[in-house]
Amino acid sequence: MTAKNTAVQAGGSSKAGSRDALVASAAVAALFWNVNAALAQDDSEALAEELANPLAKLISLPFLGNYNGNVGPEREGSQWFVNIQPVVPFTLDADWNLISRTILPVMLKQDNLFPGAGSQSGLRDTTQGFYFSPSRTANGFTWGVGPIFLLPTGTDELLGAGKWGTGPTGVVVWQGSGWSIGMLANHIWSFAGDADRADFDQTYLQPFIAYTTPQAWTFTLQSESTYDWKTREWLVPINFMVAKLVKVGEQPVSIVGGVRYWADSPDTGPHGFGARLGMTFLFPAR
């Protein structure tokens, strides 16, 4: 994908990583039980289905916490980070929308990326995508295409690529009977930045399949895979996530948690299991 994936390198010892993943999974389960018991149920199925569509005309503000373990050549690193991913749609005219999708990753703690690397925290590189999408669907299908940009916002050389990048991006989605099936993809080339840092040339693929129940539970299976054309290596996480849409007062919020398994990764990348836990604030059109 972009430097956001280039910077995905951290882990812990196999035993510590498995323990952390289990603890995170237990926290996800406890959170869902507590939320379901404490917050009133609302008829939010349609809103949950909108959230499953990357091109929906819905303002959302996700905060997604992530854990990666067993990273690096010694499998002794670990990584805790939060992705802040605002999505803001704009109406261009009666036929077209423009959807802005931003990913701002914040590294809370990165340890032992490689022997002697120490710890890092701070901002990672930001990606900014724009999708021009027709306002009408056709037989449940919608699509969007546009440019994507990599911004070198990394505050440490081990948190970013030190390069500017750009390329094309696109999404295609089909929705019907509670199902959301689609693919988000982009390709980014570096074109400027620190001359001492390596250029990059990366393809990002995010296939997904999700099912939303009438009770506004959404079950998602997806990947966020990256192919590096320079090193000819893949990063392939398989993510399974469960989300529940609830109302906190009048504010719709989606609570999400899940587990990750790295099906393929270079020696410097993460291995084994990881976890995700977060929430998304929704701002539907009134």
Side-chain angles (χ1 to χ4, degrees), residues 130-155:
F130 295 99
Y131 299 84
F132 295 91
S133 177
S135 57
R136 298 177 180 86
T137 61
N139 298 317
F141 283 93
T142 187
W143 55 271
V145 295
I148 191 167
F149 304 94
L150 173 74
L151 313 177
T153 54
T155 55

Side-chain angles (χ1 to χ4, degrees), residues 2-90:
T2 71
K4 74 183 179 196
N5 281 1
T6 306
V8 172
Q9 311 163 17
S13 67
S14 297
K15 189 175 293 185
S18 299
R19 183 182 65 246
D20 288 342
L22 288 172
V23 170
S25 298
V28 170
L31 179 62
F32 280 135
W33 278 106
N34 291 334
V35 165
N36 203 36
L39 298 175
Q41 174 66 39
D42 187 77
D43 183 15
S44 301
E45 179 185 7
L47 195 55
E49 287 186 10
E50 279 193 86
L51 184 59
N53 181 355
L55 297 172
K57 195 174 179 182
L58 173 69
I59 297 175
S60 62
L61 181 59
F63 296 85
L64 299 178
N66 293 270
Y67 165 76
N68 287 328
N70 301 323
V71 180
E74 305 297 325
R75 307 291 195 270
E76 293 182 350
S78 61
Q79 214 179 31
W80 298 87
F81 62 97
V82 175
N83 284 348
I84 305 171
Q85 303 181 188
V87 178
V88 182
F90 300 92

